Amino acid sequence: MKRIVFASCLALASSIMVSCNSGTTTENKDAVDSAKAVNKEIKPVDKSVSDFAVKAASGGIMEVELGKIAAQKAVNPRVKAFGQMMVDDHSKANDDLKSRAAMENITLPSNMSDDQQKMIDKCNKKMGKDFDKEYMDMMLNDHKEDVDMFKKASSDLTDSTIKDFATSTLPTLQKHLDSAQAITGKQ
């Protein structure tokens, strides 16, 4: 009996270690896929709840990283300020999500997805006004998707802890979308 319990614990620990992998080798799944695999295996909550939490965490990580780049690299002071707002607000939201996910035993990715990293790399290659335009266009599109996703989660999720996170974060995301629209002059 002790061997079975030990083997189960070892398998779970291996899964968790995979989810924390930085995703730097092509043989391994990216951090988002790894977190989803662990959640699928241990089924801490309804799949829609854990999938939302994983996607929100990955997106939040990307927002912080891009915000750091924009705060340093942008030439337009409004874009610099927007970047810093992303760092501040999404760092706070990420911390909130981490603590709520821990309460629900949901595994979150330690890094953003490979696709999100590619978007950052593409944006980071730009300079000057080209960077500002690329970054703000990304933020506009991303926050449109985020607002829609968080609205849906606020009404549809079955887990109250993660649903409350979506509901409480939604006004901040709407503020980000409104700011991105004002800076870009686009709807």
Side-chain angles (χ1 to χ4, degrees):
M1 182 68 170
K2 288 181 181 178
R3 288 182 184 169
I4 293 171
V5 171
F6 177 75
S8 296
C9 289
L10 186 60
L12 180 60
S14 295
S15 295
I16 290 170
M17 286 173 48
V18 167
S19 73
C20 294
N21 187 334
S22 66
T24 56
T25 63
T26 55
E27 312 171 0
N28 298 324
K29 294 180 180 180
D30 74 17
V32 171
D33 291 338
S34 295
K36 284 182 179 180
V38 171
N39 290 327
K40 183 179 179 182
E41 183 70 28
I42 63 173
K43 297 180 179 142
V45 291
D46 181 68
K47 184 180 181 318
S48 64
V49 174
S50 62
D51 284 353
F52 167 79
V54 167
K55 188 171 182 179
S58 178
I61 293 167
M62 181 187 77
E63 298 286 1
V64 170
E65 292 307 310
L66 270 171
K68 287 177 183 176
I69 294 167
Q72 294 177 357
K73 194 172 183 175
V75 293
N76 182 328
R78 291 176 71 193
V79 175
K80 276 187 182 287
F82 184 90
Q84 189 59 54
M85 180 173 63
M86 294 300 97
V87 172
D88 297 342
D89 291 351
H90 282 283
S91 292
K92 182 180 174 187
N94 291 350
D95 290 344
D96 184 22
L97 180 57
K98 283 179 196 173
S99 66
R100 290 175 189 251
M103 288 189 277
E104 301 302 312
N105 201 28
I106 298 170
T107 299
L108 297 178
S110 57
N111 296 312
M112 69 196 90
S113 72
D114 291 345
D115 289 340
Q116 289 168 322
Q117 183 61 55
K118 287 175 187 171
M119 290 184 347
I120 287 178
D121 294 344
K122 178 185 174 193
C123 187
N124 202 18
K125 289 178 183 175
K126 305 279 182 173
M127 302 298 287
K129 290 181 181 180
D130 290 338
F131 170 83
D132 289 4
K133 181 179 180 344
E134 179 79 18
Y135 173 67
M136 289 311 303
D137 285 347
M138 284 176 64
M139 290 297 95
L140 179 64
N141 293 330
D142 187 57
H143 282 87
K144 283 180 184 178
E145 291 175 13
D146 289 349
V147 166
D148 289 344
M149 181 176 83
F150 276 68
K151 278 182 184 175
K152 184 171 176 21
S154 294
S155 64
D156 295 353
L157 290 183
T158 56
D159 179 88
S160 63
T161 303
I162 303 301
K163 184 176 186 172
D164 288 346
F165 165 76
T167 302
S168 66
T169 306
L170 185 56
T172 302
L173 295 174
Q174 185 63 56
K175 178 182 83 169
H176 296 168
L177 176 57
D178 294 344
S179 295
Q181 288 172 329
I183 292 170
T184 62
K186 298 177 185 174
Q187 293 296 313

